[in-house]
Amino acid sequence: MLTRLPGKPVILLSLCLAALTLAHPFNVNAKDAWIEVQSPHFKVISNAGENESRKVADQFEQFRELFHNSFPKLRIDLGKPLVIFAVKNEDSLKVLLPAYWETKGRLHPDGIFMPGEARHYVAVRTNIEADNPYQVVYHEYTHAIMNLNFQGLPIWLGEGLAEYFANSTIHDKDVEIGKISPYHLQVLQSSRLIPIDALLQAGADSPYYNEQNRATVFYAESWAIVHYLLTDPGARKRQTLTTFLNAWDASGNQLDAATKAFGDLKKFSAAMEAYARQQTFYFGRVPTSIHGNSKSYTTRSLGPGELAAEEALFYLQTQRMKEARASTSEALQADPNLALAHEAAGLIAYRDADYATAEKEFTRSLD
């Protein structure tokens, strides 16, 4: 059962979501000791030390298991590798993600998720003092899983789910989900809510929706609705979210589906406003078994050439061509036979429309 009592967490019942992520000027401090940790589903590249690297891999394995245990009908294998750069401080992250520091006043992230055609990438720094240092990354990883399973998911629902799971806290043997987001509550309690019909119909070009700034009423209200649908005992008993999804699937009309699932939308909007102002909230714990297995993850040191090749592919993913070319050149100088370096060289040649060179480099990457 669910509880509101402080300090009395409970297991959240599984939800059927099917019903309803030579040194050169650009190199990340090659003087550091870089290692690769390979867990069952993730590869971590890090200069933060072996213990921290294993911890990062373990955290992501548990977050993945959260979806597996809670939603057994979901597909959770992304179909391509997910590579995590786990760096020891902001200076290291700045070298990997220079664009965020080049523009004055731009937000400096603690981490990002970058989906790609051949690989997905995560870049995070490990020296973050917080219950959930990877909130932004978990948000985007949730999107990746949802996009794998659903097409055309309403924006409010997709963002609400991503925010709901991004605020999870990973412990030794379980993951807390449904934890309250203080900044979302602050936004909701100090702002006028978006009319529910406008929220439901908001598209990517809506003035309410700004994917570059999650501290908005749109994100906060979407989070509150999803939190209500997934944790409120009454909403769960009535299977409100399932009703909405089934009605929407049948009609294709969100407003009609919402009216069928939520009732009078003005009353529902008032209920959500009251929901955001209450003092206690339900939350839950999902048990995991991954933790403690991190010692079984394989670990090896990365040489300068391998590190440069990994960087080159990351820079290509983030559209930093100058850095990608420099890293590729360094990797090939260090090891002319390095497969990843030839893959990077092939991608660069392809973008330059030098298809003959691209074909040659791709062939060498397969040798």
Side-chain angles (χ1 to χ4, degrees):
M1 61 183 281
L2 291 167
T3 182
R4 290 191 182 201
L5 295 178
K8 300 285 187 180
V10 297
I11 296 174
L12 186 64
L13 297 177
S14 295
L15 304 172
C16 183
L17 196 61
L20 323 191
T21 144
L22 290 167
H24 57 74
F26 310 111
N27 191 275
V28 181
N29 199 349
K31 294 180 180 179
D32 289 336
W34 285 84
I35 64 172
E36 175 191 289
V37 173
Q38 184 69 59
S39 68
H41 303 99
F42 305 102
K43 178 167 74 172
V44 176
I45 298 170
S46 180
N47 63 346
E50 183 174 339
N51 289 340
E52 198 65 36
S53 303
R54 290 183 183 275
K55 179 181 176 182
V56 170
D58 192 51
Q59 291 256 315
F60 277 84
E61 288 289 351
Q62 284 198 89
F63 192 68
R64 178 185 182 277
E65 191 182 0
L66 160 66
F67 289 97
H68 177 72
N69 289 351
S70 299
F71 314 121
K73 292 185 179 181
L74 275 186
R75 296 168 57 201
I76 58 174
D77 290 320
L78 299 180
K80 60 195 69 174
L82 195 154
V83 181
I84 303 166
F85 276 90
V87 297
K88 65 182 182 180
N89 53 32
E90 185 175 344
D91 288 340
S92 295
L93 192 62
K94 178 180 178 180
V95 179
L96 275 177
L97 301 169
Y100 290 91
W101 280 262
E102 289 174 345
T103 303
K104 186 177 180 180
R106 188 174 182 182
L107 180 68
H108 298 164
D110 294 328
I112 66 164
F113 179 97
M114 290 291 299
E117 293 183 3
R119 299 170 186 84
H120 296 310
Y121 281 100
V122 165
V124 296
R125 62 183 179 93
T126 61
N127 64 334
I128 304 170
E129 298 295 331
D131 289 340
N132 179 4
Y134 309 132
Q135 186 171 0
V136 173
V137 177
Y138 290 161
H139 175 103
E140 299 301 337
Y141 184 63
T142 301
H143 274 313
I145 291 177
M146 294 304 151
N147 291 340
L148 187 67
N149 289 271
F150 304 100
Q151 290 186 348
L153 202 66
I155 289 181
W156 71 268
L157 182 55
E159 297 297 348
L161 287 166
E163 285 296 281
Y164 179 86
F165 288 106
N167 207 43
S168 301
T169 301
I170 296 175
H171 299 289
D172 284 358
K173 296 180 180 179
D174 55 44
V175 180
E176 279 186 354
I177 62 174
K179 293 189 68 178
I180 295 308
S181 171
Y183 65 84
H184 281 334
L185 283 185
Q186 183 179 7
V187 169
L188 291 171
Q189 294 174 4
S190 62
S191 308
R192 178 175 296 183
L193 297 188
I194 300 170
I196 194 69
D197 56 341
L199 181 84
L200 294 174
Q201 298 181 96
D205 58 349
S206 169
Y208 293 119
Y209 177 57
N210 177 8
E211 62 181 348
Q212 300 300 319
N213 179 14
R214 299 207 327 275
T216 63
V217 176
F218 181 86
Y219 280 88
E221 192 171 342
S222 298
W223 164 82
I225 294 174
V226 168
H227 192 281
Y228 167 79
L229 294 173
L230 294 185
T231 62
D232 180 80
R236 289 164 54 77
K237 183 177 181 179
R238 294 189 298 272
Q239 297 187 335
T240 307
L241 181 55
T242 298
T243 301
F244 169 79
L245 289 172
N246 288 341
W248 176 55
D249 185 55
S251 69
N253 187 307
Q254 280 201 68
L255 290 181
D256 290 346
T259 300
K260 183 174 182 179
F262 308 152
D264 182 270
L265 295 185
K266 289 185 178 180
K267 292 182 179 179
F268 181 74
S269 182
M272 287 299 95
E273 190 166 354
Y275 188 76
R277 285 170 167 74
Q278 63 187 11
Q279 298 300 309
T280 55
F281 293 82
Y282 292 98
F283 68 101
R285 289 183 185 267
V286 175
T288 57
S289 59
I290 292 294
H291 190 83
N293 295 336
S294 62
K295 292 182 179 179
S296 68
Y297 302 162
T298 60
T299 304
R300 67 184 186 91
S301 298
L302 285 180
E306 290 179 298
L307 174 60
E310 294 282 8
E311 290 171 12
L313 292 170
F314 179 84
Y315 285 133
L316 282 164
Q317 187 66 33
T318 55
Q319 305 297 318
R320 300 292 300 195
M321 295 305 299
K322 183 178 179 181
E323 290 87 344
R325 294 176 193 278
S327 292
T328 302
S329 176
E330 178 185 351
L332 290 171
Q333 287 179 16
D335 184 350
N337 297 315
L338 194 59
L340 286 180
H342 286 289
E343 180 182 346
L347 290 169
I348 291 172
Y350 185 83
R351 294 189 185 199
D352 292 341
D354 183 354
Y355 302 122
T357 298
E359 183 179 7
K360 180 182 71 174
E361 293 293 344
F362 287 143
T363 299
R364 292 202 62 181
S365 73
L366 299 175
D367 291 342

